[in-house]
Amino acid sequence: MDGVGSFGAGRAGTTIDPIAFAKQPQTILRVLSWIFSLVVFASIVNEGYVNIGSERLHCVFNKNADACNYGVFVGLVGLLACSFFFLLDYKFSSISSVKDRKKAIMLEIGFSGFWTFLYFVSFCFLANQWSRTTPDELPLNQGADAARAAIAFSFFSIITWAGLTVRAVQKYLLGTDMTLFTTEHMDGGAPTQPYPSNSPVGGTTETTETYQSPPFTENNAAPTYQVPIY
């Protein structure tokens, strides 16, 4: 894992290098997931419905509207989620609170794992309905390419979302290097600057002064009282 500090990221406020960010495996997986979700969504919306001898549109997956609706739902939500988590990845280093970073990682683990399962269901569901589709239901092979694309990229999405889940778990297991954070970071507040030191710039230490007796005091013992002689 790249980066140190808290959950795979460095100290809060560090400068983000766009080129280094783009080369990260998590960013590459995120972009691929975004593209795959777009293909699944667009394939079904644009060519996933055909009309056969009537004005009513039928789903190319065995005329099962649930199959098309499910594919559109998984693709659209996956597309929006990739956009959200992409921005979260880019702004992750600017989050100063350790608790907020932990919540963000846990949210990513839960969602990525759940969407991996939904894409697995999408692949199985669409492939099953497509295998039951007869040539008579699709004259001139209408929508066949879109159906195959939706099935193929649903399978590819399983791999990318599973990879994102693994990366998020690795970041969570890294934990936090507490030496990089103050109490204010732990509580979610802004860090405070320490007071400047009175020591010289050169780093020399001051010698301790010896205790001096207060002024107007005598070191000798007090004189004894003498009886006056008349």
Side-chain angles (χ1 to χ4, degrees), residues 125-164:
F125 188 23
L126 297 181
N128 177 265
Q129 294 300 310
W130 179 247
S131 64
R132 297 182 179 183
T133 304
T134 60
D136 297 337
E137 297 176 351
L138 297 177
L140 302 179
N141 236 7
Q142 295 181 11
D145 293 337
R148 296 189 184 98
I151 296 173
F153 283 93
S154 292
F155 176 78
F156 297 151
S157 295
I158 299 174
I159 301 175
T160 56
W161 281 98
L164 289 172

Side-chain angles (χ1 to χ4, degrees), residues 29-40:
L29 288 173
R30 191 83 66 194
V31 173
L32 290 177
S33 298
W34 189 89
I35 295 175
F36 296 164
S37 296
L38 178 62
V39 172
V40 173

Side-chain angles (χ1 to χ4, degrees), residues 28 50 59 62 79 88 97 106 109 135 170 173 177 181 201 213:
I28 298 175
V50 295
C59 178
N62 196 27
L79 181 67
L88 183 62
S97 174
M106 294 180 66
I109 294 174
Q170 290 176 345
L173 293 178
D177 184 1
F181 295 87
V201 179
S213 60

Side-chain angles (χ1 to χ4, degrees), residues 13-171:
T14 55
T15 304
I16 301 175
D17 185 5
I19 298 178
F21 175 77
K23 293 180 179 180
Q24 292 180 359
Q26 183 170 346
T27 304
I28 298 175
L29 288 173
R30 191 83 66 194
V31 173
L32 290 177
S33 298
W34 189 89
I35 295 175
F36 296 164
S37 296
L38 178 62
V39 172
V40 173
F41 169 74
S43 298
I44 299 177
V45 170
N46 292 333
E47 301 181 21
Y49 296 90
V50 295
N51 54 345
I52 305 175
S54 65
E55 297 181 355
R56 184 178 179 181
L57 295 176
H58 298 278
C59 178
V60 295
F61 294 99
N62 196 27
K63 295 184 179 181
N64 189 345
D66 293 336
C68 287
N69 293 336
Y70 184 83
V72 170
F73 168 75
V74 174
L76 178 60
V77 177
L79 181 67
L80 298 176
C82 284
S83 301
F84 170 76
F85 283 110
F86 182 84
L87 294 176
L88 183 62
D89 292 339
Y90 190 77
K91 295 293 184 180
F92 189 77
S93 296
S94 63
I95 302 177
S96 59
S97 174
V98 178
K99 294 181 180 179
D100 291 341
R101 288 190 178 191
K102 184 177 181 180
K103 291 178 182 178
I105 293 297
M106 294 180 66
L107 175 63
E108 182 179 358
I109 294 174
F111 186 89
S112 299
F114 181 62
W115 228 248
T116 302
F117 171 75
L118 290 187
Y119 263 117
F120 175 76
V121 175
S122 175
F123 169 73
C124 295
F125 188 23
L126 297 181
N128 177 265
Q129 294 300 310
W130 179 247
S131 64
R132 297 182 179 183
T133 304
T134 60
D136 297 337
E137 297 176 351
L138 297 177
L140 302 179
N141 236 7
Q142 295 181 11
D145 293 337
R148 296 189 184 98
I151 296 173
F153 283 93
S154 292
F155 176 78
F156 297 151
S157 295
I158 299 174
I159 301 175
T160 56
W161 281 98
L164 289 172
T165 305
V166 173
R167 295 289 298 183
V169 172
Q170 290 176 345
K171 290 170 63 176

